[in-house]
Amino acid sequence: MKNIDSYTHVRGESLFVDDLMLRQDALIGLCFDSPKAHGKIKSVDYSKAEALDGVVKIFTYKDVLGENQIGGIIPDEPLWAEDEVHFWGQPIAFIVAKTTAIAKKARALITIDIEELPVITTAKEAKEKNSFINAPRSFKLGDSSKSFSECEYVFEGETFSNGQEHLYLETQGCYAVPLENGNIKLTSSTQGPTQVQKTAAKVLGIPMHKIEVDVIRLGGGFGGKEDQATPWAVMTAVAVQHLNRPVKYMLNRHDDLRMTGKRHPYSSFYKIGLTKDLKIKAFEVEFLQNSGAAADLSPAIAERTLFHATNSYFIPNVSTTVFSCKTNLPPNTAFRGFGGPQGMFVIESAIADAADKIGINKKQIQEVNLLAENDEFSYGQIATQVEAKNTWFTAKDTFDLEQLETEKTSFNKENNRFKKGISLMPITFGISFTNTQMNHARALIHIYQDGSVGISTGAVEMGQSVNTKMLQVAQTVLGVSAAKLKLETTNTTRVANTSPSAASSTADLNGKAVEMACNTLIERLTEVAATLTSSEEKNISFQEDFVFIDGKKSTISWEDVISQAMVQRVALTENAHYATPIIHFDKSKEKGHPFAYHVYGTAITTTTVDCLRGTYEIDAVKIVHDFGKSMNLGIDIGQVEGALAQGIGWMTMEEIAYNSDGRLLSNALSTYKVPDIFSTPKIVETVPVKTAGNDMAIQKSKAVGEPPLMYGIGAYFAIQEAVKEFNPNYKLKFHSPFTPEKVLMGLYENQ
Ligand code: MTE
Ligand code: HPA
Ligand code: MOS
């Protein structure tokens, strides 16, 4: 099935928040945010702004009738700053005016007096000053400190991976409309409609049932709208509560870049020990996560870093610790991979370091340590249906690694100015929200009396094509054509208490609920069809919009059965609830079985570095990926390619920069480079590995949204190899992104 949105996307007809026709009395909102990263607010003068013609009201924390608190995991973040500010861009007030132009003018008229306090921008500095979000977490397996003494090789080092801007095409925004009796409808660009509803109710001091959140679709989320779509929606809701008029707020790109959090930068310290035959015997890491000024999702992200700290390798003795370091940056947040990529960059760096110092190729260490069946992860889960070796060796075979390496060697011999590098990047990613209680979803299905069907779930469409997958599930179970099925918007009054669409689990969780609801409906309709056709229920099936008897098409259509069901007063609506079985995790022991299953894969990356200029091109990324049994290979390969481009961007060019005052320097697309058509690999080839699929995945089709991002890490090490080929004195550094500037320095250092 084609992505069901492609037709309206291509024609520009798909609706986003900014496309909604506003009510005639609608007003526009705009945030006034902190011009300093840390300080005490001495005074704010709104008088000139308030006096401006067309300004309706300026809201501050004083207008909050409930709680001025939006922190999800830890209540440590005010909606609007009260007497202190903790990051540059922190919301202080909300201007509501007749037009955007007036609101902007008003914002420029506000003056603020801040007594500045010391600013922390790096995780290292925060650790030195004991500035943390919460207590550190540690995972342990075996006895790492004892095992180092039994190792032939022991190496220690430091890594840094930078943040990353989500750069969803559609910026954050919400349109809030008052309904009767103090009820409010929010059309929000959020991955978490329930989180918006719950937080709005709390801040407004009203029950959740008074807030309806509707999500049509997002122009991308990438984790940036899992938690951080909430404040803007709540601000518009507060304004509606006071003014009883619709209020819309769409952030422009500059405001969005400045005020929202990003992927967490990490500084990490590793120690790796190997035996003579290159088995990794012991591994220790201290991760310093730069969490920003408030918790947001940082604790959950820190946890996933620990889950993925050993990537696709079995290491018998592991000790990993993560500190969520509180700094004066905007609170960093979920971003595709959710802390996993940051963990995996460190183990890959440690292996590269070890290989370099031993004087062998990195892949020799990788290959002998790949996960096998029944290996234990550091968090106690036993690996089953492992495809780590399968994807690794299939990739080597399918893409003829030997030939690629021969070509590289002869190219490097013949060329002085250009050098090629190759890397292998295996991935292993756990599927499920790491927080067990979040793994549930619901679906509500209406069959209308003409036979058409409306499907509601908690899934948010953000470009990952989850709606198409939901429709496919319904189509398979109901046996009707796609034209009869409609995916409704995601709405809290139809499907309540949802988890955000995240953790790559949306299709699994909501799809299973759709499957259950459709199965129940089919059970009922089978009874009706049996009477209609005077045959036994066990012989009846629904296919191609008709009743089939003993596998043969009858003359009774789907519509006939639905009409008869109406006559017999059979319920044509069903609601189902799915909660992932098996999974559990005990935080007091840091052990359990947190993931329904894992996704595996291996990428081979080839690059060419221009050793005069320090620029590089990614020649090819060739991937063998574990889709399980893909229910829609077109969509799934699209996810692999998109995630790969995003991963390469993170590793090679996207450079977030703050100055020491905590101001974002990379605050526009002229100073923040994202992958474009020229920087994508010239060849991307994705081959599905042959497997039986996994029953915990929807229709055995494994989750695909986040795992392939981590193939992008391979680009770092391929470039690194090319630099080393040119400059044997280059001392390996693990400081991403590997920008052309850093490549150039590496090419000519120590010469
Ligand atoms: N693909 C597109 N086109 N747009 C997005 O915003 N988000 C990613 C991934 N793929 C995203 C995307 C992230 S961070 C996640 S967690 C998953 O999709 C969420 O959707 P899923 O659970 O349906 O895979
Ligand atoms: N992934 C994404 N979002 C989450 C998770 C997770 O594992 N846990 C809590 N929120
Ligand atoms: Mo994705 S980072 O779990 O929204």
Side-chain angles (χ1 to χ4, degrees):
M1 185 180 289
K2 275 200 307 197
N3 180 328
I4 56 171
D5 280 345
S6 49
Y7 184 81
T8 53
H9 276 1
V10 169
R11 293 165 59 96
E13 291 169 356
S14 300
L15 294 180
F16 299 84
V17 175
D18 213 20
D19 295 314
L20 294 180
M21 186 68 88
L22 302 191
R23 227 168 75 172
Q24 214 168 13
D25 56 343
L27 299 166
I28 301 297
L30 184 71
C31 224
F32 170 71
D33 57 295
S34 175
K36 295 289 170 204
H38 194 195
K40 282 194 164 43
I41 301 177
K42 304 306 271 181
S43 64
V44 194
D45 184 358
Y46 297 107
S47 58
K48 283 200 186 100
E50 278 167 338
L52 194 69
D53 194 31
V55 171
V56 177
K57 186 170 163 64
I58 299 178
F59 293 89
T60 68
Y61 72 93
K62 291 177 186 155
D63 299 297
V64 170
L65 301 183
E67 270 180 76
N68 182 32
Q69 182 50 249
I70 59 166
I73 298 180
I74 299 172
D76 67 349
E77 190 179 356
L79 177 66
W80 289 304
E82 299 190 3
D83 38 24
E84 277 196 13
V85 285
H86 295 270
F87 63 93
W88 201 299
Q90 180 172 355
I92 296 173
F94 188 59
I95 304 152
V96 174
K98 283 191 176 146
T99 67
T100 305
I102 295 169
K104 273 189 176 168
K105 212 168 175 182
R107 182 160 77 177
L109 292 172
I110 299 174
T111 54
I112 184 164
D113 182 14
I114 293 176
E115 182 190 317
E116 290 186 57
L117 293 167
V119 172
I120 303 176
T121 60
T122 66
K124 276 196 206 174
E125 205 186 332
K127 171 121 191 287
E128 277 162 25
K129 296 187 172 151
N130 272 315
S131 171
F132 299 116
I133 294 289
N134 58 354
R137 299 266 303 267
S138 295
F139 284 10
K140 278 190 172 49
L141 180 69
D143 185 343
S144 56
S145 52
K146 190 176 129 242
S147 308
F148 281 116
S149 60
E150 298 156 15
C151 288
E152 174 81 10
Y153 309 106
V154 178
F155 306 105
E156 287 180 65
E158 180 180 349
T159 73
F160 175 79
S161 61
N162 208 331
Q164 185 176 22
E165 166 57 42
H166 301 87
L167 216 83
Y168 22 67
L169 283 179
E170 178 203 27
T171 54
Q172 306 271 7
C174 181
Y175 177 46
V177 179
L179 307 172
E180 57 188 17
N181 295 320
N183 300 325
I184 299 172
K185 180 173 175 181
L186 305 173
T187 305
S188 163
S189 177
T190 179
Q191 290 174 241
T194 292
Q195 195 58 30
V196 167
Q197 181 194 23
K198 190 173 147 185
T199 313
K202 179 169 155 180
V203 175
L204 271 60
I206 60 176
M208 281 172 78
H209 71 219
K210 284 193 163 293
I211 309 259
E212 170 187 349
V213 179
D214 193 69
V215 183
I216 310 167
R217 63 165 63 69
L218 316 188
F222 306 112
K225 295 172 182 170
E226 180 172 341
D227 226 37
Q228 299 207 359
T230 302
W232 329 110
V234 176
M235 287 177 203
T236 58
V238 171
V240 168
Q241 185 183 32
H242 286 266
L243 303 173
N244 200 33
R245 286 173 69 172
V247 176
K248 176 178 155 182
Y249 181 27
M250 287 298 299
L251 278 68
N252 71 21
R253 185 64 69 185
H254 275 105
D255 287 2
D256 191 305
L257 291 171
R258 181 178 70 255
M259 294 197 279
T260 66
K262 308 172 193 319
R263 183 188 290 287
H264 295 75
Y266 272 62
S267 286
S268 311
F269 305 87
Y270 62 82
K271 184 173 177 185
I272 188 169
L274 301 92
T275 61
K276 219 187 211 153
D277 52 0
L278 304 179
K279 289 271 187 192
I280 307 172
K281 196 171 169 87
F283 185 54
E284 286 181 356
V285 196
E286 182 180 282
F287 295 104
L288 306 186
Q289 175 197 60
N290 188 335
S291 314
D296 193 272
L297 293 163
S298 294
I301 292 160
E303 183 180 51
R304 199 178 264 280
T305 300
L306 299 185
F307 282 120
H308 297 308
T310 56
N311 190 16
S312 299
Y313 310 106
F314 171 64
I315 307 178
N317 302 288
V318 180
S319 173
T320 51
T321 299
V322 62
F323 292 86
S324 291
C325 302
K326 191 169 179 167
T327 61
N328 297 109
L329 300 185
N332 285 314
T333 193
F335 196 136
R336 210 170 191 170
F338 206 73
Q342 290 95 322
M344 283 156 68
F345 179 65
V346 179
I347 178 74
E348 293 302 325
S349 297
I351 292 173
D353 183 21
D356 182 62
K357 288 180 178 146
I358 298 169
I360 55 171
N361 189 295
K362 179 173 183 253
K363 72 167 191 287
Q364 287 174 258
I365 300 178
Q366 291 174 303
E367 188 165 303
V368 296
N369 289 287
L370 289 171
L371 271 174
E373 207 66 15
N374 296 321
D375 280 344
E376 186 177 349
F377 289 101
S378 68
Y379 45 92
Q381 184 159 344
I382 304 300
T384 54
Q385 291 183 269
V386 185
E387 307 293 349
K389 290 185 185 175
N390 189 4
T391 59
W392 176 276
F393 290 105
T394 308
K396 277 176 77 173
D397 256 25
T398 313
F399 305 124
D400 201 349
L401 180 65
E402 234 172 275
Q403 175 64 22
L404 292 174
E405 285 179 332
T406 311
E407 281 168 19
K408 175 196 78 178
T409 309
S410 59
F411 180 94
N412 288 350
K413 249 191 214 135
E414 288 158 21
N415 288 280
N416 285 328
R417 178 170 157 198
F418 295 94
K419 296 289 178 192
K420 281 192 190 293
I422 295 184
S423 76
L424 274 84
M425 180 66 203
I427 60 145
T428 296
F429 196 81
I431 300 302
S432 287
F433 284 95
T434 54
N435 184 3
T436 302
Q437 67 180 41
M438 292 173 78
N439 293 281
H440 59 87
R442 278 152 301 286
L444 175 68
I445 317 262
H446 298 312
I447 303 177
Y448 294 99
Q449 51 194 290
D450 66 352
S452 65
V453 182
I455 302 164
S456 297
T457 74
V460 168
E461 175 61 54
M462 57 185 122
Q464 88 280 40
S465 312
V466 68
N467 279 357
T468 306
K469 288 188 171 181
M470 295 306 97
L471 206 145
Q472 265 186 278
V473 172
Q475 188 187 20
T476 313
V477 182
L478 300 178
V480 298
S481 51
K484 290 202 191 337
L485 305 173
K486 177 190 170 207
L487 250 294
E488 303 289 354
T489 59
T490 315
N491 187 298
T492 52
T493 56
R494 270 180 275 113
V495 178
N497 305 323
T498 61
S499 290
S501 285
S504 305
S505 304
T506 317
D508 278 1
L509 297 172
N510 292 277
K512 292 272 187 181
V514 170
E515 198 171 59
M516 288 165 72
C518 290
N519 274 324
T520 306
L521 287 165
I522 283 295
E523 268 172 43
R524 273 182 223 145
L525 294 175
T526 302
E527 248 179 76
V528 176
T531 338
L532 261 183
T533 57
S534 325
S535 39
E536 281 186 65
E537 283 178 31
K538 67 173 170 35
N539 300 330
I540 295 213
S541 63
F542 290 86
Q543 297 171 48
E544 300 165 24
D545 297 326
F546 275 85
V547 174
F548 277 56
I549 303 165
D550 289 325
K552 279 193 214 85
K553 190 171 176 177
S554 75
T555 55
I556 307 294
S557 69
W558 168 260
E559 284 84 354
D560 295 335
V561 179
I562 301 305
S563 302
Q564 183 60 24
M566 282 296 289
V567 172
Q568 292 180 15
R569 297 184 294 169
V570 170
L572 292 174
T573 287
E574 187 61 23
N575 171 62
H577 170 87
Y578 174 77
T580 314
I582 304 173
I583 53 171
H584 57 88
F585 195 72
D586 181 349
K587 278 195 186 179
S588 68
K589 299 192 176 74
E590 301 288 27
K591 295 283 178 195
H593 189 106
F595 298 120
Y597 57 87
H598 288 83
V599 169
Y600 302 89
T602 299
I604 301 178
T605 305
T606 322
T607 60
T608 307
V609 173
D610 178 337
C611 301
L612 184 62
R613 298 193 289 179
T615 53
Y616 44 78
E617 288 185 335
I618 314 285
D619 305 326
V621 180
K622 300 186 173 191
I623 298 165
V624 172
H625 186 81
D626 166 26
F627 294 100
K629 280 206 174 322
S630 175
M631 65 190 285
N632 193 321
L633 205 54
I635 285 170
D636 286 350
I637 287 182
Q639 284 291 295
V640 171
E641 292 176 349
L644 171 70
Q646 218 162 19
I648 292 176
W650 173 54
M651 277 283 111
T652 67
M653 67 183 76
E654 298 185 40
E655 196 165 31
I656 303 252
Y658 292 93
N659 70 6
S660 55
D661 295 337
R663 185 166 66 89
L664 181 69
L665 299 176
S666 50
N667 67 347
L669 292 180
S670 53
T671 49
Y672 185 74
K673 175 104 182 86
V674 288
D676 58 18
I677 195 68
F678 301 105
S679 52
T680 41
K682 289 202 271 308
I683 298 170
V684 179
E685 210 177 319
T686 307
V687 172
V689 75
K690 289 194 180 60
T691 70
N694 190 303
D695 286 324
M696 300 282 273
I698 184 66
Q699 295 191 347
K700 300 195 177 202
S701 182
K702 284 189 172 181
V704 69
E706 295 167 285
L709 182 131
M710 285 148 274
Y711 292 135
I713 297 172
Y716 189 97
F717 295 97
I719 294 168
Q720 188 170 60
E721 191 186 74
V723 171
K724 187 92 189 178
E725 288 273 316
F726 180 82
N727 177 11
N729 296 329
Y730 165 67
K731 194 178 160 301
L732 266 53
K733 275 167 270 300
F734 307 103
H735 196 283
S736 72
F738 213 160
T739 56
E741 290 86 345
K742 288 187 203 160
V743 171
L744 194 62
M745 310 255 259
L747 289 166
Y748 296 97
E749 72 174 22
N750 305 322
Q751 284 201 341

